[in-house]
């Protein structure tokens, strides 16, 4: 895919600013420097009752510099791309580095490891870049109208459309230069349903890099309304241990917690229950987790990482066995492992598109053998200790009775150690849909503790 | 304290050659109102930050940023147009003003802003230390934690300093400016015994200066994190089910922040999304509950003299003896509801103001804290917390306990593993049966997130007993 000329010009401009920044870092005595620049535009349109409530539009720019001076690390950020602004930020980073202590692991990766080419990941769509305020507001109105069409919906909680265009560039004193243009379009709806005595709200959103990835606005509104209405009359169930089916949204949240524990920094800091578990069983044999930065048009795809290293698909867990961590070059050195190209924009490791591989079962067949259990639609709150894996979250969803969904359930918690929970998954459905950066299909676990009445 | 703008400000829009003058502000407001609109405001913001982290005894990285810009907003018949510039260059500012004006296009006649009055500057600089001195503070935290016990295997500590200066210029009122400094220190200590490993944390801060920080704060922080980690080694699974819960004074105020506070923010109330919508003057909580939002508490993280819309921020009674008395309003919702604004806050000039809390506190009652614990036969005592969330609409809230104790026959008997508590806002407020006389402000800096905007807030409360709240532990069934 070739970028529009304006995008190319934008990246060239960022490259010139990056060269100025690297030259300034050299002049200030830095042994090594990395600069990340971005420039873009952001548009938000929110509507309620078909009236525009908010229209916000602006150009944004940012620069972050990380320097290493005598093994000491300093960072600085600014939104000022002018030559004076760039130079001032780099000088501040060098001053900050003087506060640090020598870190033998902070060295940049050797030049031969740097990425020289990377796949075209289709993260930019001109059709998204061209969306203006009127169109964005119209998309939101369509979503809202569909939500209000549901008879039990009392009010619109509002609908909103966000469009972002971003050009970013990473350049390092080791010789890496990589630029990227991307777009994002998101549409969300919020409905409030009521039945005279109780109210419930429901949300739904859809988004993507390309216009074609967006669910139709009407279906976003309808889904928000359906969720609100379906939760009316929700009540807690009796405290006990129940078989639990986690729907895709709740399952994704759990997989996200696991991903956080597989990051190099968490392992180095011993803030991960996985830190001594490489090569051991961390999930049921049906379970595999993948981190794939090369998915086309996906939320967290990247062709090179924050250290300038090439990225690749990683099998983090294969058939229940922990195969590797997500490592930036610094945490890899600390752990005496090879970096995996997982450095995020801040230099520390972050997950890209992290997901659980889907199984073969239809999601409703997961319910069939359950006489009495809980279907968890969404989890809420904190309540996770990454060092021990102890998990306790607020939950809402439905009672499962004789293999079918029953009355809506709210005001309960679901608790079990994440390690035990993942090792006792006994069924994985096929309903994986990749909307956000972390995703998972529905899965079933033999039991979890539900606290209710 | 009102000082001339030149006195202490660092922000380039408050002093020096780029200081905003009446002519420039007038031109920008005129551009913002070129197509009409009920009001417009300019929000200039300067933010200087410093961040230092000590990882396992070594300063791993030091960083900082200076961020300056202006947000401009036009309000037209309840609709908001917003744009911003990340530079103070007059051309960029004017472009932002024109962009925000689009909301009112084809609606009205140009309006002229009121003439600009002199700027009054509130707030004050607080003494800062050098970077090296801050690093020494973190080393003291580290040393105190390790001194506490040989079982402490690792300590991480970090410090963040934020100096925020704002200038708000509304089209229909006096301009106001404030210096809003903030300091936050946090520590994490990991204790190991055999195969068991537990991490304890501590955090403190607020609108605090170097003298406060250099006192006993580093040692207290280190010891607190270490104590909490060691306690974790001995903790046992918490019970599951609906039980009496005693909340310790201070940090537990985050419960009220989630269970009631968000529901009283006027934008949620207007959308019908709050369980408290349309209930002003009604009894919505136990008569023991008097809740205030107070931006005037000395040193507290949410304290402000001026909100981000240029209104003087003031103490607001939200619930008085359980009766709903007030809402938190920004200018847009205050216009719609016919109430007073003063609670409009924004993360930065890149965001629009929303009704938000400052320091939300429950006032003291009459009960002795020890009587409250003694009144519980079997329940839990919730001492420390990591945060919470509320699901507006239904009003369900959760908040996570990082340190809890089992109460058996009126005594604390065993430390418990971290769990979530879940309840419903109005129901839990009605179940408050005892309120202690030991009201205390949390000494932590809490970050409140709403619509993607993060703000510093404070919370506080005395010891409180809730007769029935669901405890999300894993131990099913009560021991005989």
């Amino acid at each position: 895919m070739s970028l529009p000329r304006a995008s190319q010009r934008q990246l060239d401009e960022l490259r010139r600013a990056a060269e100025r920044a690297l030259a300034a870092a050299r002049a200030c005595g830095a042994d090594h420097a990395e600069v990340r620049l971005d420039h873009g535009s952001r548009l938000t349109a929110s509507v309620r009752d078909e009236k525009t409530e908010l229209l916000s539009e602006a150009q944004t720019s940012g620069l972050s510099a990380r320097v290493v001076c005598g093994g000491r690390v300093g960072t600085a950020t600014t939104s000022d791309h002018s030559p004076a602004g760039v130079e001032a930020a780099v000088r501040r980073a060098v001053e900050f580095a003087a506060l640090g202590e020598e870190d033998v692991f902070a060295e940049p990766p050797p030049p031969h490891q740097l990425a020289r080419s990377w796949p075209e990941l289709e993260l930019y769509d001109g059709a998204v870049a061209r969306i203006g305020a009127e169109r964005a507001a119209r998309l939101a109105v369509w979503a809202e109208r569909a939500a209000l069409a549901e008879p039990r919906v009392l009010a619109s909680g509002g609908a909103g459309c966000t469009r972002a265009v971003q050009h970013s560039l990473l350049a390092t004193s080791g010789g890496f230069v990589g630029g990227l243009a991307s777009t994002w379009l998101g549409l969300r709806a919020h409905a409030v349903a009521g039945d005279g005595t109780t109210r419930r709200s429901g949300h739904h959103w859809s988004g993507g890099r390309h216009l074609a990835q967006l669910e139709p606005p009407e279906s976003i509104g309808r889904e928000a309304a359906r969720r609100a209405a379906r939760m009316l009359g929700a009540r807690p169930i009796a405290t006990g241990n129940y078989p639990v089916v986690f729907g895709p949204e709740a399952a994704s949240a759990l997989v996200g917690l696991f991903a956080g524990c597989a990051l190099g920094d968490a392992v180095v800091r011993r803030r991960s229950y996985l830190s001594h578990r490489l090569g051991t069983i961390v999930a049921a044999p049906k379970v595999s987790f993948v981190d794939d930065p090369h998915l086309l048009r996906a939320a967290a795809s990247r062709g090179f990482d924050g250290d300038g290293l090439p990225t690749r698909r990683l099998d983090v867990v294969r058939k229940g066995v922990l195969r590797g961590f997500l490592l930036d070059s610094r945490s890899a050195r600390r752990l005496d492992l090879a970096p995996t190209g997982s450095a995020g924009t801040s230099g520390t490791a972050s997950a890209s598109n992290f997901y659980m591989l889907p199984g073969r079962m239809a999601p409703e067949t997961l319910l069939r053998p359950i006489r009495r259990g809980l279907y968890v639609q969404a989890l809420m709150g904190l309540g996770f200790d990454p060092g021990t894996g102890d998990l306790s979250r607020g939950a809402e969803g439905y009672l499962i009775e004789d293999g079918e969904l029953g009355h809506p359930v709210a005001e309960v918690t679901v608790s079990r150690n994440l390690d035990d929970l993942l090792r006792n998954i006994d069924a994985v459905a096929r309903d994986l849909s990749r909307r956000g950066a972390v995703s998972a299909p529905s899965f079933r676990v033999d039991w979890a503790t539900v606290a209710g009445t | 304290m009102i000082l001339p703008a030149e006195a202490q400000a660092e922000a380039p829009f408050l002093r020096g050659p780029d200081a905003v003058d009446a002519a420039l502000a007038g031109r920008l407001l005129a551009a913002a109102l070129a197509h009409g609109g009920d009001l417009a405001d300019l929000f200039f913001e300067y933010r200087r930050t410093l961040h230092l982290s000590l990882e396992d005894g070594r300063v791993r990285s030091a960083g900082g940023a200076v961020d300056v810009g202006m947000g401009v907003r036009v309000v037209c018949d309840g609709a908001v147009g917003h744009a911003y510039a990340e530079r103070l260059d007059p051309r960029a500012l004017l472009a932002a003003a024109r962009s925000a004006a689009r909301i009112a296009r084809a609606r009205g006649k140009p309006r002229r802003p009121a003439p600009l009055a002199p700027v009054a500057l509130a707030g004050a600089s607080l003494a800062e230390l050098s970077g090296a001195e801050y690093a020494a503070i973190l080393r003291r935290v580290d040393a105190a934690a390790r001194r506490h016990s040989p079982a402490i295997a690792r300590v991480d500590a970090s410090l963040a300093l934020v100096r925020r200066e704002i200038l708000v210029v509304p089209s229909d009122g006096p301009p106001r400016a404030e210096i809003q400094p903030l300091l936050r220190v946090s520590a994490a200590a990991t204790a190991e015994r055999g195969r068991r490993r537990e991490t304890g944390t501590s955090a403190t801060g607020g609108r605090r200066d170097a003298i406060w920080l250099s006192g006993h704060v580093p040692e207290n922080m280190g010891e607190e994190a270490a104590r909490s980690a060691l306690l974790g080694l001995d903790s046992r699974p918490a019970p599951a089910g609906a039980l009496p819960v005693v909340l310790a004074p201070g940090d537990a105020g985050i419960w009220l922040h989630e269970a009631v506070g968000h529901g009283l923010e006027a934008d949620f109330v207007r959308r019908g999304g709050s369980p408290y919508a349309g209930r002003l003057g009604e009894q919505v909580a136990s008569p023991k509950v008097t809740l205030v939002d107070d931006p005037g508490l000395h040193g507290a993280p949410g304290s402000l003299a001026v909100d981000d819309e240029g209104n003087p921020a003031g103490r607001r009674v939200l619930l008085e003896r359980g009766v709903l008395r007030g809402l938190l309003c920004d200018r847009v919702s205050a216009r719609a509801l016919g109430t007073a604004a003063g609670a409009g806050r924004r993360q930065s000039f890149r965001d629009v103001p929303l009704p938000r809390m400052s320091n939300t506190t429950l006032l003291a009652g009459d009960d002795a804290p020890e009587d409250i614990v003694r009144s519980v036969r079997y329940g839990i005592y919730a001492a420390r917390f990591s945060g919470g969330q509320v699901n507006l609409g239904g009003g369900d809230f959760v908040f996570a306990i990082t340190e809890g104790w089992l109460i058996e026959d009126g005594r604390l008997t065993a430390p418990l593993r971290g769990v979530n508590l879940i309840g419903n806002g109005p129901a839990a407020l009605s179940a408050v049966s005892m309120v202690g006389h030991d009201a205390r402000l949390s000494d932590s800096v809490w970050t409140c997130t709403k619509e993607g905007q993060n703000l510093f807030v404070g919370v506080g409360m005395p010891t409180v007993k809730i007769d029935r709240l669901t405890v999300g532990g894993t131990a099913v069934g009560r021991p005989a």
Side-chain angles (χ1 to χ4, degrees):
Chain A
M1 181 190 67
S2 70
L3 283 175
R5 202 168 302 149
S7 267
Q8 202 51 58
R9 257 203 318 274
Q10 197 61 254
L11 286 173
D12 290 342
E13 218 166 276
L14 294 181
R15 185 184 305 239
R16 281 193 294 276
E19 279 160 9
R20 280 199 299 273
L22 291 176
R26 260 194 311 276
C28 292
D31 303 320
H32 175 70
E34 292 164 13
V35 290
R36 167 177 300 279
L37 290 109
D38 51 70
H39 182 86
S41 72
R42 214 175 298 160
L43 164 71
T44 301
S46 309
V47 305
R48 194 165 63 96
D49 297 334
E50 306 213 355
K51 256 186 65 180
T52 301
E53 245 189 353
L54 170 68
L55 204 56
S56 176
E57 195 166 9
Q59 304 282 314
T60 64
S61 55
L63 175 149
S64 62
R66 177 177 178 272
V67 300
V68 184
C69 308
R72 297 153 192 252
V73 179
T75 62
T77 62
T78 180
S79 56
D80 186 354
H81 281 189
S82 72
V86 167
E87 200 175 306
V90 169
R91 195 167 330 109
R92 267 200 309 279
V94 172
E95 284 165 17
F96 285 130
L99 300 176
E101 287 171 272
E102 197 178 334
D103 178 356
V104 292
F105 304 107
E107 289 294 296
H112 71 268
Q113 286 184 2
L114 296 173
R116 285 195 184 77
S117 62
W118 41 88
E120 166 51 49
L121 298 170
E122 299 180 13
L123 304 181
Y124 183 93
D125 180 11
V128 170
R130 284 189 296 273
I131 287 177
E134 284 77 20
R135 176 114 182 260
R138 212 157 51 230
L139 289 170
V141 166
W142 290 340
E144 186 189 50
R145 236 178 245 164
L148 286 168
E150 153 71 47
R152 282 171 297 174
V153 167
L154 297 178
S156 163
C161 180
T162 307
R163 186 269 290 141
V165 181
Q166 173 110 328
H167 297 90
S168 59
L169 183 112
L170 173 72
T172 73
S173 56
F176 179 84
V177 184
L180 187 73
S182 64
T183 50
W184 179 262
L185 181 67
L187 184 58
R188 63 183 162 76
H190 175 198
V192 180
D195 60 5
T197 52
T198 61
R199 281 159 191 260
R200 285 282 160 187
S201 57
H203 298 260
H204 188 59
W205 69 274
S206 166
R209 301 283 183 189
H210 285 241
L211 183 57
Q213 289 171 284
L214 195 73
E215 278 176 41
E218 294 75 13
S219 80
I220 296 168
R222 257 198 315 271
E223 178 62 15
R226 190 192 68 80
R227 286 175 173 228
R230 184 74 173 83
M231 283 307 290
L232 283 172
R235 57 185 190 271
I237 55 175
T239 299
N241 292 334
Y242 292 84
V244 174
V245 174
F246 292 94
E249 188 181 324
S252 302
L254 295 179
V255 169
L257 296 177
F258 181 91
C261 291
L263 300 180
D265 198 54
V267 174
V268 167
R269 285 170 182 260
R270 301 193 228 184
R271 290 287 285 148
S272 166
Y273 76 94
L274 298 174
S275 57
H276 299 294
R277 301 280 296 278
L278 215 50
T280 69
I281 291 169
V282 296
K286 291 181 191 310
V287 175
S288 295
F289 294 143
V290 170
D291 186 65
D292 191 350
H294 289 182
L295 290 177
L296 297 184
R297 304 183 177 193
S301 293
R302 54 193 178 206
F304 49 87
D305 82 346
D307 289 326
L309 298 182
T311 53
R312 62 177 198 273
R313 178 187 148 114
L314 300 167
D315 283 319
V316 178
V317 171
R318 188 184 230 163
K319 296 186 173 164
V321 177
L322 179 63
R323 303 278 301 246
F325 298 120
L326 303 177
L327 303 170
D328 55 276
S329 56
R330 180 178 180 277
S331 59
R333 270 201 209 101
R334 286 284 298 259
L335 298 167
D336 205 14
L337 295 166
T340 59
S342 300
T345 51
S346 67
T348 54
S350 67
S352 67
N353 303 297
F354 193 98
Y355 60 95
M356 182 191 251
L357 291 185
R360 291 209 183 82
M361 294 170 83
E364 53 282 7
T365 54
L366 262 52
L367 310 177
R368 296 292 174 253
I370 299 178
R371 205 180 59 76
R372 196 174 165 78
L374 183 67
Y375 177 90
V376 178
Q377 179 166 275
L379 293 167
M380 67 187 286
L382 304 169
F384 177 63
D385 182 337
T388 60
D390 285 347
L391 170 79
S392 163
R393 289 255 156 144
E396 61 177 43
Y398 310 101
L399 181 69
I400 303 170
E401 273 178 310
D402 299 322
E404 307 273 349
L405 292 185
H407 73 74
V409 174
E411 219 188 307
V412 296
T413 59
V414 170
S415 306
R416 193 177 183 187
N417 185 280
L418 184 65
D419 188 31
D420 294 332
L421 192 148
L422 295 177
R423 285 190 286 126
N424 288 286
I425 289 174
D426 59 15
V428 178
R430 60 177 180 228
D431 56 344
L432 175 71
S433 85
R434 292 195 199 89
R435 183 176 60 160
V438 178
S439 49
S442 306
F443 61 74
R444 185 176 67 207
V445 59
D446 59 352
W447 62 265
T449 305
V450 178
T453 56
Chain B
M1 186 165 44
I2 304 291
L3 293 167
E6 303 76 32
Q8 301 184 52
E10 291 179 9
F13 49 78
L14 288 174
R15 61 182 302 167
D18 291 332
V20 174
D21 57 18
L24 176 60
R27 232 173 46 234
L28 296 174
L29 286 170
L33 292 171
H35 307 294
D38 304 316
L39 71 97
D41 52 22
L42 312 174
F43 178 78
F44 293 88
E45 183 184 37
Y46 164 87
R47 184 186 291 261
R48 172 170 59 82
T49 54
L50 167 71
H51 178 265
L52 264 181
S53 69
L54 191 76
E55 191 182 288
D56 207 15
R58 299 175 71 83
V59 177
R60 175 189 167 183
S61 80
V66 175
D67 192 22
V68 188
M70 181 206 69
V72 52
R73 175 177 68 155
V74 178
V75 181
C76 180
D77 196 14
V80 174
H82 173 251
Y84 57 85
E86 292 172 320
R87 287 174 294 155
L88 296 179
D89 157 26
R91 267 181 316 184
L93 298 179
L94 202 57
R98 289 190 179 123
S99 175
R102 289 178 50 182
I103 194 76
R105 186 157 290 173
R107 283 203 211 200
K109 294 197 290 269
R111 280 173 53 110
R112 294 188 75 78
L116 192 69
V119 178
L121 181 71
S125 290
L126 296 177
E128 294 179 18
L129 298 174
S130 70
E133 289 166 319
Y134 283 126
I137 295 278
L138 293 181
R139 288 202 184 84
R140 283 169 58 190
V141 173
D142 180 277
R146 290 177 201 270
R147 220 169 25 236
H148 189 78
S149 162
I152 300 300
R154 187 189 168 91
V155 183
D156 296 316
S158 67
L159 182 145
L161 178 96
V162 180
R163 182 183 170 109
R164 183 186 197 231
E165 296 180 18
I166 61 165
L167 165 66
V168 193
V169 189
S171 59
D172 58 350
R176 288 198 172 88
E178 185 177 10
I179 300 174
Q180 299 168 341
L182 190 123
L183 187 64
R184 164 140 84 170
V185 195
S186 52
T190 302
E192 290 180 346
R193 186 196 296 149
R195 294 187 57 184
R196 204 152 165 194
R197 190 170 64 195
E198 291 280 344
T199 299
T201 59
S202 62
T204 188
R207 305 211 183 280
R208 305 286 191 181
D209 66 2
I211 298 163
W212 172 85
L213 180 65
S214 310
H216 294 295
V217 168
E219 283 69 30
N220 293 346
M221 296 275 302
E223 281 162 23
E224 179 60 13
R227 186 195 62 81
S228 164
L230 292 173
L231 202 61
L233 291 178
D234 295 320
S235 63
R236 59 157 102 152
L243 293 171
V245 173
V246 177
L247 300 170
D251 287 3
I254 65 150
W255 163 58
L256 291 154
H257 176 102
E258 303 297 350
V260 209
H262 281 298
L264 301 181
E265 291 168 343
D267 52 345
F268 289 135
V269 174
R270 280 178 66 210
R271 281 174 206 166
S274 163
Y276 304 101
R279 300 187 63 187
L280 268 176
E282 285 180 32
Q283 189 86 34
V284 297
S286 150
K288 294 188 177 266
V289 174
T290 295
L291 186 72
V292 301
D293 189 72
D294 191 351
L297 301 174
H298 178 74
S303 289
L304 312 159
V306 177
D307 77 353
D308 293 334
E309 298 181 299
N311 289 305
R315 184 175 186 271
R316 203 169 299 264
V317 176
L318 303 174
L319 303 180
E320 186 183 14
R321 296 177 185 284
V323 176
L324 183 54
R325 288 289 180 217
L327 300 175
L328 295 159
C329 293
D330 63 351
R331 290 195 73 175
V332 171
S333 55
R335 280 175 95 95
L337 298 170
T339 53
R345 296 181 70 188
R346 58 209 303 185
Q347 177 177 306
S348 83
F349 63 86
R350 297 180 179 89
D351 304 290
V352 288
L354 297 172
R356 301 294 291 261
M357 286 172 262
S358 61
N359 305 303
T360 312
T361 60
L362 181 69
L363 300 192
D366 304 324
D367 296 302
E370 43 298 355
D371 290 344
I372 298 178
V373 173
R374 218 174 286 143
S375 75
V376 177
R377 268 182 60 84
Y378 185 84
I380 71 158
Y381 182 80
R384 304 186 67 225
F385 307 85
S386 59
Q389 189 185 335
V390 64
N391 183 358
L392 285 159
D396 291 352
F397 63 84
V398 286
F399 64 115
I401 306 179
T402 52
E403 180 184 327
W405 293 79
L406 195 64
I407 307 177
E408 290 170 299
D409 295 324
R411 288 184 312 117
L412 306 189
T413 53
L416 301 174
R417 316 206 67 152
V419 288
N420 246 305
L421 298 181
I422 190 162
N424 184 270
L429 282 172
S430 303
V432 170
S433 60
M434 296 176 90
V435 175
H437 54 59
D438 55 345
R440 199 165 80 74
L441 197 66
S442 161
D443 50 16
S444 292
V445 176
W446 296 91
T447 302
C448 168
T449 304
K450 174 173 168 181
E451 296 187 16
Q453 295 193 42
N454 295 322
L455 291 179
F456 298 126
V457 298
V459 300
M461 63 182 255
T463 302
V464 160
K465 179 181 172 187
I466 302 174
D467 281 340
R468 207 177 135 85
L469 203 57
T470 300
V471 179
T474 50
V476 177
R478 189 178 295 199

